[in-house]
Amino acid sequence: MRKKLMFCLPVLMFAGALIGPASFAADKSEVTGAELFNPLPLLLPGFPPEPIGRFLAMPTIMCPGHTPTSDPMQPCPEGSRTHFRDGLVLAQIIADDPRMTGWMTVELNANFDAGFEGPCWGTFSIDIDDDEGTWEGTWQGLRVAEDGYWVATLNVQGRGFGGAVDGLKLMGEDRLLLFTPMPLAYTSVFQGRIIDPN
């Protein structure tokens, strides 16, 4: 009996090592969405004529070595850098997962060169349409000029609070297409995953 037990114990431990991690693996759901922001509204392809979103706080504009122009299409003198801080907008987000569909408040910060390219970062929160939950998190990335537009590829990380998202994690990439030097109108494609670590 002792020999059988000595033989079976390592086999059971090996089987447990294989089965155990799978039972504790995080549950992941892929999610795809689109972010829309056009509050003025500008007449742009793919946008309805009605306004989408709104400005909650205009950013503070700084033009290192220069004075801001007060022109939202050219906020700093041509050829100079543009830094902005603490802009706040409300954008609509529509996703194939209802846990990501709602209205998103986005904080905007950036350091752009003369071509309006450079790093950008901030925070976000999403109020889910059909739920009491919210997402809160951070984003950061780089914006570059492409074919007369600007494209920003952003790394997004967030955490859920309340409702159906309480304790969940959000990770993904948001690829923005901006139509103006300053973020007066943009659309994006979000691809990521919602993770239940429990």
Side-chain angles (χ1 to χ4, degrees):
M1 180 71 174
R2 188 175 211 176
K3 285 183 180 177
K4 285 184 182 177
L5 185 61
M6 293 294 287
F7 174 75
C8 291
L9 190 58
V11 172
L12 289 171
M13 288 176 69
F14 178 72
L18 291 176
I19 296 169
S23 64
F24 292 108
D27 180 32
K28 298 177 184 175
S29 302
E30 299 297 319
V31 59
T32 300
E35 182 183 348
L36 301 169
F37 181 70
N38 189 15
L40 295 179
L42 302 178
L43 297 176
L44 297 168
F47 281 96
E50 299 81 20
I52 300 173
R54 67 178 189 268
F55 293 98
L56 301 176
M58 297 304 288
T60 300
I61 304 292
M62 295 161 283
C63 310
H66 301 275
T67 303
T69 65
S70 300
D71 178 0
M73 298 300 285
Q74 183 69 50
C76 291
E78 195 169 335
S80 67
R81 295 174 292 154
T82 301
H83 294 179
F84 64 87
R85 299 289 184 271
D86 304 322
L88 211 58
V89 303
L90 184 68
Q92 186 177 34
I93 185 161
I94 302 168
D96 59 1
D97 189 320
R99 295 174 295 176
M100 269 286 291
T101 296
W103 289 91
M104 180 164 62
T105 301
V106 188
E107 177 202 21
L108 307 171
N109 303 286
N111 290 342
F112 293 145
D113 62 16
F116 298 102
E117 298 179 296
C120 43
W121 66 93
T123 61
F124 72 90
S125 65
I126 301 171
D127 287 324
I128 301 167
D129 278 348
D130 299 323
D131 192 82
E132 295 180 359
T134 60
W135 293 101
E136 293 183 13
T138 59
W139 63 271
Q140 49 103 15
L142 188 67
R143 187 170 95 161
V144 297
E146 284 188 15
D147 301 323
Y149 302 100
W150 290 268
V151 175
T153 303
L154 311 176
N155 175 272
V156 177
Q157 296 189 19
R159 183 172 178 180
F161 295 91
V165 299
D166 194 46
L168 303 185
K169 293 183 179 179
L170 174 67
M171 299 177 67
E173 182 180 275
D174 201 15
R175 187 172 169 82
L176 270 71
L177 177 65
L178 297 104
F179 298 91
T180 56
M182 296 300 286
L184 301 179
Y186 63 83
T187 184
S188 82
V189 174
F190 176 84
Q191 291 186 311
R193 62 188 61 89
I194 294 172
I195 303 167
D196 185 351
N198 302 315

